[in-house]
Amino acid sequence: MAKAAVRAGLVAVGLAWVLVAQVVLAADAKTYVLEGSKAAALESCVEPTDVMRRKHMELIKHQRDETVHGGIRSSKHSLAGCVECHIRSDADHVPQPIHRKDEFCGACHAFTAVNLNCFDCHASVPKGPGAEQASHAAFQAVGADRSVQARPDGEDH
């Protein structure tokens, strides 16, 4: 019985340290918004930062369900809207794939060790000029098995 109490106490202390470490890391995280993106010039996202950090996937899934099942198309919580606002371009004005480890989505997901699979199906660069070049860069950055290429007509594939 005493061993079980000691083990439980050690587990509780360990979990407390993990929680403290997460809080400290979150405080140090600052921001993943990159200079050169539209988001860098804004005061806040479509929701407060703490909500977006914790619930962005729920918001995106809800938007998907509204669009696919209800036919309701709005852009407030759309993945395409996120990409459009958070994408950054290089010196040649070529949009950089947002899921690369040094870009907005990729950096945060790498930091938190969360699998980022949105771009297995969705384009990682916005439609328009530079999409084909950026698509090629995405292919080079993450490899053929995980790349997403935007077709020249701007559609995901």
Side-chain angles (χ1 to χ4, degrees), residues 45-98:
C45 197
V46 295
E47 301 291 343
T49 301
D50 60 328
V51 171
M52 292 307 293
R53 282 185 179 159
R54 300 275 183 222
K55 294 187 162 195
H56 68 280
M57 195 61 224
E58 293 171 37
L59 296 170
I60 291 170
K61 282 182 181 179
H62 178 73
Q63 176 71 39
R64 176 204 61 196
D65 291 347
E66 290 287 310
T67 300
V68 173
H69 301 295
I72 301 167
R73 294 193 175 271
S74 67
S75 59
K76 184 173 182 184
H77 297 124
S78 72
L79 183 60
C82 298
V83 171
E84 182 70 32
C85 194
H86 287 281
I87 197 85
R88 186 179 61 87
S89 296
D90 66 9
D92 296 325
H93 305 290
V94 175
Q96 298 303 295
I98 200 163

Side-chain angles (χ1 to χ4, degrees), residues 18-38:
V18 168
L19 180 61
V20 167
Q22 288 298 319
V23 169
V24 168
L25 288 173
D28 282 347
K30 294 178 243 152
T31 181
Y32 285 99
V33 175
L34 300 172
E35 290 300 320
S37 68
K38 289 180 186 176

Side-chain angles (χ1 to χ4, degrees), residues 138-152:
F139 184 81
Q140 298 296 333
V142 291
D145 62 327
R146 296 278 325 246
S147 72
V148 175
Q149 296 182 343
R151 297 189 320 225

